[in-house]
Amino acid sequence: MDTSLWPAEWPHDSPDTVMSTPEAHATMQRHLGCSVAECGRKRAAWDVLVDGGRILEQRPAPRGGELNEPSRGSEGV
């Protein structure tokens, strides 16, 4: 995705305030096609959900396709 073509204040920019958990869930749904690495809004939503224990952040899968252990947020799971 070429983010250099986005106009200023495009909805993929990071928000100015911290999202609520429901807002983060809705943002993740609206930005399904976006990469967390390239979309600031999806990254902000991802961080809220990881910090809240709603999703587990995982390290990138090796070429074989098997997932590694979660890198954080796995306490009590």
Side-chain angles (χ1 to χ4, degrees), residues 5 10 12 14 16 27 53:
L5 300 175
W10 190 248
H12 299 280
S14 297
D16 294 331
T27 298

Side-chain angles (χ1 to χ4, degrees), residues 41-61:
R41 190 155 306 262
K42 186 171 185 173
R43 181 74 223 182
W46 177 268
D47 289 342
V48 166
L49 297 175
V50 168
D51 290 345
R54 298 296 183 125
I55 57 176
L56 299 178
E57 187 171 21
Q58 296 181 332
R59 295 184 202 117

Side-chain angles (χ1 to χ4, degrees), residues 33-46:
C34 295
S35 163
V36 171
E38 293 179 350
C39 178
R41 190 155 306 262
K42 186 171 185 173
R43 181 74 223 182
W46 177 268

Side-chain angles (χ1 to χ4, degrees), residues 3-77:
T3 58
S4 66
L5 300 175
W6 292 346
E9 301 301 318
W10 190 248
H12 299 280
D13 290 344
S14 297
D16 294 331
T17 59
V18 177
M19 294 179 192
S20 66
T21 300
E23 184 181 9
H25 278 288
T27 298
M28 291 294 286
Q29 291 171 350
R30 283 192 304 271
H31 292 263
L32 279 175
C34 295
S35 163
V36 171
E38 293 179 350
C39 178
R41 190 155 306 262
K42 186 171 185 173
R43 181 74 223 182
W46 177 268
D47 289 342
V48 166
L49 297 175
V50 168
D51 290 345
R54 298 296 183 125
I55 57 176
L56 299 178
E57 187 171 21
Q58 296 181 332
R59 295 184 202 117
R63 288 199 172 247
E66 56 194 66
L67 292 177
N68 292 322
E69 291 296 315
S71 59
R72 61 183 218 177
S74 61
E75 297 82 18
V77 175

